[in-house]
Amino acid sequence: MAKFVIEPGAVIDGFTLGECVHRGGMATLWSVTRDDIADAMLMKIPRVSEGEDPAAIVSFEMEQMILPKLTGIHVPQCYGTGDFARQAYVVIERIPGKTLYARLDELPLPYEEARLIALKIADALSDLHRQNVIHHDIKPSSIMFRASGEAVLIDFGLSHHNQLPDLLQEEFRVPYGTAPYTAPERLLGVRDDPRSDLFSLGVLLYFFTTGVRPFGESETMAGMRRRLWRDPYPPRQLRKDYPPWLQEIVLRCLEIEPAWRYPTASQLAFELAHPDQVKLTARSERLKRDPLTTVWRRRFNGNLVQPRRPAAVAAQLAASPIVAVAIDVTEGSDELNGALRTAAERILKTSPLARLACLNVLKLGRVTIDRTLDEEGNNKHVGRLVTLRHWATPLKLDESRLTVHVLEAVDAAGAILEFVNANHVDHIVIGAGQNSLVRTLLGSTSAKVASEAPCSVTVVRLPRQGPSSSPRQEPPGDDRSMPAI
């Protein structure tokens, strides 16, 4: 079968080629149009001539398999693919603007700007990992932003899909990727751990806030392998004003052992969204790298990073959920709050890597001027934060797994739902209100949350009869049905 001539005006499977917008080492990018699609599009065509790297062809095959399966705002839409028998290509949405690579001349960025960029990337990774995909090439040139602000991940040729054959793993034994951003476990052949992407994001955040890459520019295998035993200089050694909370996040992402990093991209995003609640450890105070005795022990004992097969991506995410509990602090709510604590404890026992967010809504008047102090002159917001921590004390959670949040809003249910959506909450526990004429007419907060939340919901209600009866709960899970409230 005759091959297509790749030039402006050529038609491939209904797509008409326009200008060539980029010529890379492994592929070319062309603007394309099709009569039945109004969106701006790009066609990516691999280089397959004599002497081209065979890994480039395999990575293109991976991209052809993965892109059509991806959905959502954090990835480019895929409009079509072509096989190598006729003409290999993928057609994707053309996202206006430049990649994050264009910002390199501005480094280091202000800390707050870098935090917001990393937060958007972590949100995108969270969405990608939930689709069973690990990117494996997170770097500035693989990240774009929509006009609405969301990060978009591009270039999936090195990615791993948990439910598809990993052709790169099957056909090659050397780790492919961008050396400065490659996670240590990748050098040992591990490709199915989503925490590798968190390491790469940690490298990017370190680079964007210090102007220096944590592991230098080395492209040699020997240079890359040093990160199996050698940690980077703490950012505070490079910049005296570096915030301790930011160093805590960056160095946790850059831990050599994946188990010491954040369990999920969602939990990393949660930390970036709430820097004032980051639990500071010895990481945040470090001014020097690990001593040579520690480095030599890692290097010659060889027992810190071992190639092991982690659980499937979905299983890892399920083992590390973000659980939110909506707590009422008004008088007479002690019994219901006790039942909420019991329900939360049961959930946390089954997920030892879960983190808990305790919520309370400080309701604001629609037309009245709200007072910030209570009748005794104490700040209402601060008082409720203290009450939430007191509620959580019996759970005996490590501080790194607990945050408390007072949401000020007119609509309690709306505030809870907004928090759930913004923070990738996987499971919410909420108490059912007592029956009243107002709730009968207008509906309750718990009913609205249960019907509209994008995650699992457990609704806890007190028994109507007898103090010895056990609180009723809706079972955890995706079924959000509940009794009338």
Side-chain angles (χ1 to χ4, degrees):
M1 183 177 294
K3 294 289 186 180
F4 289 96
V5 177
I6 309 302
E7 60 183 20
V11 179
I12 303 176
D13 296 343
F15 296 99
T16 302
L17 272 64
E19 63 173 335
C20 180
V21 298
H22 177 72
R23 293 185 183 274
M26 295 190 293
T28 55
L29 285 176
W30 296 76
S31 65
V32 293
T33 57
R34 203 171 82 177
D35 292 342
D36 59 337
I37 301 177
D39 302 331
M41 298 177 289
L42 290 174
M43 177 178 285
K44 186 174 184 179
I45 300 176
R47 294 181 179 273
V48 294
S49 58
E50 184 69 29
E52 298 292 349
D53 185 355
I57 298 174
V58 174
S59 71
F60 195 85
E61 290 183 278
M62 291 298 303
E63 195 158 24
Q64 283 185 310
M65 290 194 299
I66 291 174
L67 271 172
K69 294 184 175 295
L70 298 178
T71 61
I73 200 168
H74 297 296
V75 294
Q77 184 175 348
C78 181
Y79 296 95
T81 63
D83 60 39
F84 281 88
R86 300 178 67 246
Q87 176 59 61
Y89 67 83
V90 291
V91 176
I92 59 173
E93 169 190 5
R94 184 172 187 173
I95 300 167
K98 299 179 180 180
T99 69
L100 198 53
Y101 187 85
R103 302 293 305 274
L104 297 193
D105 290 340
E106 305 172 39
L107 304 186
L109 297 183
Y111 298 126
E112 178 62 13
E113 184 176 3
R115 178 188 73 85
L116 293 174
I117 289 173
L119 171 59
K120 292 176 180 180
I121 299 170
D123 283 338
L125 284 174
S126 174
D127 184 59
L128 185 70
H129 293 169
R130 290 170 187 267
Q131 297 185 60
N132 293 292
V133 177
I134 305 166
H135 192 279
H136 280 321
D137 202 19
I138 294 299
K139 58 184 179 182
S141 58
S142 298
I143 299 160
M144 301 186 73
F145 294 91
R146 296 191 183 277
S148 51
E150 295 88 356
V152 182
L153 306 177
I154 60 175
D155 294 338
F156 291 87
L158 302 181
S159 298
H160 169 89
H161 194 299
N162 196 231
Q163 298 172 348
L164 293 173
D166 192 335
L167 303 182
L168 284 171
Q169 182 84 330
E170 293 172 0
E171 299 185 31
F172 302 96
R173 289 295 176 262
V174 287
Y176 282 92
T178 305
Y181 298 89
T182 300
E185 63 275 9
R186 292 280 313 285
L187 306 176
L188 301 174
V190 176
R191 278 182 47 82
D192 47 5
D193 193 329
R195 293 169 296 191
S196 297
D197 282 344
L198 306 190
F199 183 94
S200 301
L201 179 51
V203 173
L204 188 149
L205 184 54
Y206 185 111
F207 185 30
F208 272 53
T209 51
T210 66
V212 178
R213 289 189 174 90
F215 302 101
E217 308 287 343
S218 176
E219 296 288 340
T220 67
M221 183 60 71
M224 293 172 63
R225 288 188 66 85
R226 278 196 292 270
R227 70 194 61 175
L228 287 168
W229 56 78
R230 198 46 164 140
D231 58 318
Y233 289 102
R236 292 184 67 193
Q237 183 176 350
L238 304 177
R239 298 188 68 182
K240 302 303 181 184
D241 65 339
Y242 207 85
W245 64 265
L246 185 55
Q247 176 160 301
E248 178 72 33
I249 290 175
V250 168
L251 292 186
R252 186 172 178 184
C253 288
L254 296 180
E255 287 285 1
I256 297 172
E257 171 60 61
W260 296 351
R261 300 174 204 151
Y262 290 96
T264 65
S266 294
Q267 291 204 21
L268 170 56
F270 194 97
E271 293 273 84
L272 289 164
H274 306 282
D276 58 318
Q277 298 209 44
V278 173
K279 171 63 176 176
L280 301 183
T281 69
R283 293 189 192 95
S284 68
E285 303 173 357
R286 294 182 58 190
L287 296 174
K288 296 181 180 180
R289 294 199 289 180
D290 288 334
L292 288 177
T293 52
T294 301
V295 174
W296 285 95
R297 186 170 63 250
R298 288 180 188 144
R299 182 170 185 178
F300 293 107
N301 288 356
N303 59 356
L304 184 62
V305 179
Q306 296 292 337
R308 61 175 67 91
R309 183 171 184 81
V313 176
Q316 285 187 262
L317 300 183
S320 312
I322 296 175
V323 181
V325 182
I327 300 162
D328 188 357
V329 300
T330 57
E331 186 175 351
S333 59
D334 290 350
E335 188 177 359
L336 179 58
N337 285 339
L340 289 170
R341 188 186 299 112
T342 300
E345 187 173 25
R346 290 172 181 168
I347 296 170
L348 294 172
K349 282 183 177 179
T350 63
S351 304
L353 295 178
R355 70 179 303 152
L356 180 68
C358 302
L359 312 181
N360 174 258
V361 180
L362 180 58
K363 293 199 68 173
L364 304 178
R366 293 185 182 274
V367 293
T368 59
I369 299 176
D370 296 287
R371 298 171 58 110
T372 59
L373 304 181
D374 60 21
E375 295 178 356
E376 299 177 357
N378 299 315
N379 186 284
K380 295 179 182 178
H381 193 111
V382 173
R384 295 196 179 195
L385 289 175
V386 173
T387 300
L388 291 178
R389 287 202 173 273
H390 179 73
W391 177 90
T393 298
L395 297 175
K396 298 179 180 179
L397 288 177
D398 183 276
E399 283 293 316
S400 64
R401 298 176 59 198
L402 173 68
T403 54
V404 294
H405 310 266
V406 174
L407 316 175
E408 298 188 11
V410 173
D411 175 19
I416 293 171
L417 289 168
E418 183 179 352
F419 182 92
V420 167
N421 282 287
N423 293 281
H424 304 286
V425 171
D426 300 287
H427 196 142
I428 184 164
V429 182
I430 188 170
Q434 301 301 309
N435 291 333
S436 70
L437 178 60
V438 174
R439 286 187 172 87
T440 300
L441 295 175
L442 301 180
S444 70
T445 297
S446 57
K448 182 175 181 180
V449 170
S451 63
E452 298 183 20
C455 61
S456 300
V457 180
T458 294
V459 178
V460 178
R461 67 187 308 169
L462 294 175
R464 292 186 179 136
Q465 303 176 0
S468 61
S469 303
S470 300
R472 292 174 55 188
Q473 300 178 34
E474 291 304 302
D478 290 332
D479 184 1
R480 293 190 290 274
S481 62
M482 53 177 288
I485 296 175

